[in-house]
Amino acid sequence: MFKLLSTSGEQSIDLQLGRKLVVGRAVTSDVPIYDPTISRRHAEIVLTESGVRVTDLGSSNGTFLNGAKITEAEAGANDVVTFGKVAFRVKEVTAPLPRPQVVPPPADFKPGTKGGAAGGTIVRQLPVSGGVPAIVIDQPEGSSHLKVRAQSQEERREKKLSLLLEVSKELSKQQELDRLLDKVVDFTFQIMNVDRVSILLLDGKSNELVPRISKSRTGDASAAKHVPQSIARKAVEERVAILSDNAAADERFKGKSILIQSVRSAMCTPLMGSDSKVLGILYVDNLTATHSFADEDLEFLIAFGGLTAVAIENSQLSERIRREALVRSNFERYFSPNIAQVISQQQDAGRLPSEKRPVVVFFSDIRGFTPMSETMSPDEIAKLLTEYFTEMVDKVFEHGGTLDKFMGDAIMALWGAPIAHADDADRAVECALAQLTELEKLNTKWKREGRTEVQIGIAINFGEVFAGNIGSDRRLEYTVIGDAVNTAYRLCGKAGPNEILISEPFYQQLKKKPPVETLESIQVKGKTKKIPVYRVKR
């Protein structure tokens, strides 16, 4: 006797003599394998007296025996059969695998007492995602609990697929997560005869299952409060979908919650994300009838759970996009687009940390703006400042800086907060030079239009400051406070027309030191000692 074992060890295919099994990506396949290289009906396998006969069913990516592509071939012990890119090794077993039997509990059996039969035996495995098996517990034959009426199996299959398509369309319309989950629960009651439905989502930080929604068909809120933790943990930790015909008698589910809730028949499937990450679980149960669910019910729940997982991911993506768009619309006024994008994608976007940190502080302002503005109309002033600020701030952003604020006709910018780079000092100097070059272009344009030309002074300093959100409950502003800021501001006041002054601490931070001219130390307000200063040559 033989069986197939995946080379990754995650999936096993048990074979019965003469029984044909279809391997494919469809959930209705005898051996579903959810891998993009697997076709919906990929291949057929059957155990013969001498080995395992493998027949390709016209798959897109082929079926292989020991690396050679085949249409039909027989595999023996230790041969490797590959469907698409999923490989299985043929293993010899010493004896046929008998179909386990479940002895139903005696009529006087009570949950929690000794002497009841241990229900629940694995009879076959169905992968939920990426070759992960789903556990099916044996049960006496019974009708499915799907509300699907059909005259034939083919018609039933078509109706189920049509139903899943309609569900997928409806779920795709729901972008708000709570409404989506509510819709999933309602659909479950509409599709299946179950007493309770619950959805728990996995918290990314604590890795704990958090109940998000739970409903009872009768409307009894207390009956819908809890999901048996033993079943939930197994579904998440082993990434398996579980069908139990009598959870109270199942040796693996001996938790008190099962006995307290009188759970008789239960199904649970993990909600698997696109990257094989567990998002949560979808759980249904019946409180009264044992041997309630059929294999078909579990297969449908797995498919339904897959649609739910896709819808949840889409909802989370939509919410993240909305949040990032809002954050970026605010941050792009102050930060370069690339920095705004980084901040908006952080978990606590919008709540930048308050901390002490070394930063580059940059000031530039227009020389003689006050007397100049006295000869201009308000509209002319607004037009000039708008054009000037637009070009100057663009240069700050182009060089990875942060716009702290406008102060009348002055610009205050930062490098090193909220995100630092190893070459922040060099970026600041390059920005200053770029601003002067851009100002020359603006002046040429304004002169041609008969408008006022301007000159600016620039100063750059480096030092430790307090950086964070400052303000009131109604208005917060990310800024920096400290002596390094005051020094940069005072230094800017000393800068001549189109002159770039830099401090000694800043000069020491430069990795690519530009040509500079050493000036006499300058006395600035608030300082007892004069400050060593350099003028950057252009």
Side-chain angles (χ1 to χ4, degrees):
M1 302 297 294
F2 300 93
K3 70 175 182 178
L4 299 182
L5 180 66
S6 65
T7 54
S8 64
E10 294 178 327
Q11 186 173 359
S12 175
I13 304 174
D14 296 329
L15 305 171
Q16 295 180 6
L17 191 63
R19 183 186 175 191
K20 295 180 179 180
L21 299 176
V22 173
V23 176
R25 197 175 71 251
V27 72
T28 52
S29 301
D30 298 307
V31 184
I33 302 176
Y34 298 138
D35 184 275
T37 64
I38 304 293
S39 299
R40 292 184 62 80
R41 285 176 54 85
H42 194 100
E44 181 183 87
I45 55 177
V46 59
L47 180 63
T48 66
E49 295 289 347
S50 55
V52 181
R53 188 169 67 248
V54 183
T55 304
D56 186 85
L57 298 179
S59 64
S60 300
N61 293 298
T63 303
F64 304 82
L65 177 59
N66 297 326
K69 190 171 184 179
I70 61 168
T71 301
E72 183 173 302
E74 187 161 281
N78 295 319
D79 284 341
V80 176
V81 179
T82 305
F83 308 104
K85 291 186 178 180
V86 182
F88 287 79
R89 187 174 295 278
V90 180
K91 291 290 187 180
E92 190 170 4
V93 293
T94 56
L97 296 175
R99 179 178 176 84
Q101 298 296 316
V102 173
V103 181
D108 61 350
F109 172 79
K110 294 181 180 179
T113 63
K114 295 182 179 180
T121 305
I122 300 174
V123 296
R124 70 184 179 92
Q125 295 183 334
L126 298 174
V128 174
S129 174
V132 180
I135 297 178
V136 182
I137 307 299
D138 194 17
Q139 62 204 0
E141 292 184 4
S143 60
S144 168
H145 276 235
L146 293 178
K147 297 178 181 179
V148 177
R149 300 289 179 265
Q151 298 298 318
S152 66
Q153 279 298 106
E154 188 62 32
E155 182 186 357
R156 186 173 181 81
R157 184 178 294 111
E158 290 178 1
K159 284 190 174 182
K160 287 195 297 182
L161 293 175
S162 177
L163 184 59
L164 287 172
L165 179 60
E166 289 303 313
V167 168
S168 177
K169 289 179 180 178
E170 287 299 316
L171 294 185
S172 66
K173 298 176 183 177
Q174 306 296 326
Q175 292 191 338
E176 201 275 317
L177 184 59
D178 288 336
R179 291 184 181 180
L180 167 66
L181 299 182
D182 195 62
K183 198 77 172 177
V184 170
V185 171
D186 289 344
F187 272 137
T188 307
F189 280 125
Q190 293 172 28
I191 295 169
M192 308 183 77
N193 284 313
V194 295
D195 292 331
R196 305 187 301 187
V197 181
S198 298
I199 298 176
L200 289 75
L201 297 184
L202 206 61
D203 183 88
K205 291 183 177 179
S206 66
N207 208 34
E208 294 287 333
L209 279 171
V210 179
R212 290 300 299 262
I213 186 171
S214 190
K215 288 186 179 181
S216 167
R217 185 180 294 281
T218 62
D220 180 4
S222 62
K225 245 178 200 181
H226 303 290
V227 172
Q229 290 301 304
S230 51
I231 291 179
R233 282 196 303 270
K234 191 172 188 67
V236 171
E237 292 171 3
E238 300 184 20
R239 301 187 178 191
V240 295
I242 300 170
L243 186 161
S244 176
D245 65 327
N246 191 351
D250 193 326
E251 289 292 347
R252 291 171 304 166
F253 307 134
K254 281 298 185 182
K256 290 182 180 179
S257 59
I258 287 179
L259 304 181
I260 292 172
Q261 298 173 71
S262 301
V263 176
R264 307 297 283 172
S265 300
M267 291 194 300
C268 180
T269 184
L271 303 174
M272 304 297 295
S274 57
D275 57 352
S276 296
K277 180 182 179 182
V278 179
L279 304 177
I281 63 168
L282 172 60
Y283 170 90
V284 300
D285 67 19
N286 280 330
L287 302 180
T288 54
T290 61
H291 313 309
S292 175
F293 297 117
D295 288 357
E296 180 187 41
D297 298 323
L298 182 66
E299 291 174 351
F300 195 88
L301 190 71
I302 293 172
F304 186 45
L307 296 179
T308 300
V310 170
I312 289 173
E313 282 193 319
N314 288 340
S315 173
Q316 292 173 339
L317 177 61
S318 297
E319 175 59 28
R320 187 165 70 248
I321 290 173
R322 286 195 297 270
R323 177 178 61 81
E324 289 180 7
L326 177 62
V327 173
R328 288 181 66 179
S329 67
N330 290 326
F331 283 170
E332 283 184 353
R333 292 181 296 169
Y334 305 103
F335 308 127
S336 61
N338 59 325
I339 292 179
Q341 181 177 5
V342 171
I343 297 172
S344 67
Q345 291 174 348
Q346 293 176 352
Q347 184 68 29
D348 295 324
R351 292 179 290 182
L352 295 172
S354 297
E355 57 188 345
K356 281 189 174 182
R357 62 189 301 161
V359 300
V360 172
V361 185
F362 176 108
F363 277 95
S364 69
D365 70 354
I366 298 175
R367 306 288 84 169
F369 181 75
T370 300
M372 180 197 313
S373 62
E374 292 176 352
T375 63
M376 302 169 65
S377 69
D379 286 345
E380 289 174 330
I381 295 173
K383 184 178 180 181
L384 181 145
L385 289 179
T386 298
E387 292 183 30
Y388 168 75
F389 283 146
T390 298
E391 298 301 329
M392 297 301 106
V393 171
D394 277 351
K395 296 307 172 188
V396 172
F397 288 168
E398 283 176 15
H399 292 85
T402 295
L403 172 64
D404 186 289
K405 63 174 68 70
F406 296 121
M407 302 166 62
D409 61 302
I411 295 172
M412 176 180 171
L414 311 170
W415 276 261
I419 295 176
H421 304 89
D423 59 344
D424 278 329
D426 298 278
R427 294 181 184 217
V429 167
E430 290 168 3
C431 172
L433 294 169
Q435 282 191 349
L436 292 180
T437 300
E438 191 62 37
L439 183 63
E440 290 176 357
K441 296 178 183 177
L442 283 174
N443 280 329
T444 301
K445 173 176 173 289
W446 290 336
K447 183 177 181 180
R448 187 170 58 248
E449 296 172 353
R451 296 165 60 190
T452 304
E453 299 177 57
V454 302
Q455 294 176 312
I456 63 174
I458 299 174
I460 314 174
N461 188 27
F462 176 84
E464 187 175 76
V465 300
F466 169 84
N469 288 317
I470 307 295
S472 67
D473 291 339
R474 292 189 175 186
R475 180 187 174 96
L476 283 176
E477 181 180 75
Y478 185 81
T479 189
V480 294
I481 298 174
D483 180 67
V485 179
N486 298 333
T487 300
Y489 178 72
R490 303 296 181 192
L491 199 58
C492 184
K494 301 289 186 178
N498 297 341
E499 188 176 55
I500 303 171
L501 299 184
I502 61 176
S503 67
E504 175 68 27
F506 176 78
Y507 182 74
Q508 296 303 324
Q509 292 296 314
L510 290 165
K511 297 182 182 301
K512 300 177 182 177
K513 291 180 170 54
V516 296
E517 178 184 349
T518 303
L519 303 181
E520 289 187 13
S521 297
I522 297 176
Q523 182 71 53
V524 298
K525 185 178 179 180
K527 290 285 187 181
T528 57
K529 294 182 179 180
K530 292 185 177 182
I531 300 173
V533 179
Y534 302 92
R535 178 192 294 125
V536 177
K537 294 181 179 180
R538 297 181 63 197

